[in-house]
Amino acid sequence: MVTIERWREAQATEPGFFAGMALGVTESLDVLYHNAAKARYLSRLLKEIPKVSVEIGPGPWGLGISGFLRDIPVRFCVEPDPRLELDPRAPLGSFITEWRRSVQYIVGTGENIPLVDESSDLVICCNVIDHAYRPDKILGEAARILKPGRMFFFDVDTFSLLGLLKWYMWTRYRHKKDLLVTAHTYRMFEPNVSRRLKAAGFTILHQNEHNLLSLW
């Protein structure tokens, strides 16, 4: 477990990172493309259009994946930082502002989502729990607000065994001031992530996973 101070250090990197990224055309397009691609992939998995969705940790742009799921009537997102007011110089600022308008932005943490039990037809949590204070609490909250039998769309970066060894023995010391280190409170190993999901009550229906070689 990490301390609350360590989590705050990681969280403090987010607003500046997203504000700086918004000023670059290539950087903004890269983020928007990946979110749109995940939304398109998710849409193919859905058997019907959800009425209510909740995205945990979309980033302070307030767009995330939810911004590209415009067929869903009610879309919430939960993010610790206030929604970023975009610099007028941001080349895609007008697009981001317009597409995030219909997503209801809630300032809060994934560990304590201010929504009632079984209130969502879809919960999204992508690239979040390795930046979090209590990853298992986030997964538990996702399960709590999700209606029975509905979908949790989840991803997180995972390391191979050798990658984790390098991280803990070298990277986090040699590059301790780099964003790569300061922004991440945890590093994940795929089998452990699967166990966390099952412990939170989820049944894994579809998984894009490592092969045996890449796991090592």
Side-chain angles (χ1 to χ4, degrees):
M1 290 185 182
V2 301
T3 64
I4 189 66
E5 290 76 17
R6 175 67 186 92
W7 175 77
R8 286 172 177 156
E9 177 191 22
Q11 197 58 41
T13 67
E14 296 282 327
F17 175 72
F18 276 89
M21 192 161 48
L23 293 176
V25 175
T26 303
E27 294 84 351
S28 297
L29 285 173
D30 188 53
V31 172
L32 295 173
Y33 168 77
H34 281 93
N35 285 339
K38 288 181 181 180
R40 185 169 62 249
Y41 175 68
L42 169 55
S43 295
R44 292 199 296 266
L45 297 175
L46 293 170
K47 296 179 180 179
E48 60 184 55
I49 297 174
K51 294 179 180 178
V52 178
S53 69
V54 179
E55 182 168 3
I56 303 168
W61 281 1
L63 183 62
I65 297 166
S66 301
F68 297 95
L69 297 169
R70 306 189 90 183
D71 289 338
I72 300 176
V74 179
R75 289 167 289 161
F76 295 100
C77 68
V78 180
E79 172 67 34
D81 295 302
R83 190 164 64 181
L84 191 66
E85 295 301 323
L86 294 170
D87 192 308
R89 296 170 295 166
L92 294 171
S94 296
F95 175 86
I96 295 169
T97 299
E98 177 60 31
W99 278 63
R100 76 186 186 183
R101 196 183 307 277
S102 58
V103 180
Q104 300 183 51
Y105 193 92
I106 300 172
V107 177
T109 66
E111 290 87 350
N112 292 286
I113 299 173
L115 295 171
V116 300
D117 296 0
E118 299 181 7
S119 56
S120 178
D121 302 293
L122 169 67
V123 177
I124 301 167
C125 181
C126 292
N127 189 29
V128 170
I129 68 167
D130 51 345
H131 300 264
Y133 176 45
R134 293 288 183 266
D136 294 323
K137 185 71 163 58
I138 291 177
L139 298 179
E141 282 289 272
R144 179 184 66 79
I145 65 172
L146 191 63
K147 293 177 182 177
R150 299 307 177 96
M151 181 180 289
F152 180 42
F153 185 70
F154 168 85
D155 73 22
V156 66
D157 291 331
T158 58
F159 278 52
S160 67
L161 282 172
L162 290 176
L164 282 173
L165 181 64
K166 178 187 175 185
W167 173 268
Y168 285 110
M169 299 298 292
W170 171 260
T171 307
R172 69 174 181 159
Y173 298 109
R174 183 65 178 84
H175 301 282
K176 62 182 178 180
K177 297 297 184 182
D178 292 0
L179 186 68
L180 174 69
V181 175
T182 57
H184 291 89
T185 47
Y186 295 90
R187 282 311 201 184
M188 298 288 173
F189 184 51
E190 186 178 285
N192 289 339
V193 173
S194 297
R195 284 193 287 272
R196 288 173 185 263
L197 288 167
K198 292 174 183 176
F202 292 108
T203 299
I204 299 174
L205 300 177
H206 180 77
Q207 184 174 357
N208 294 330
E209 56 189 333
H210 283 283
N211 58 43
L212 187 60
L213 179 61
S214 68
L215 200 62
W216 282 92

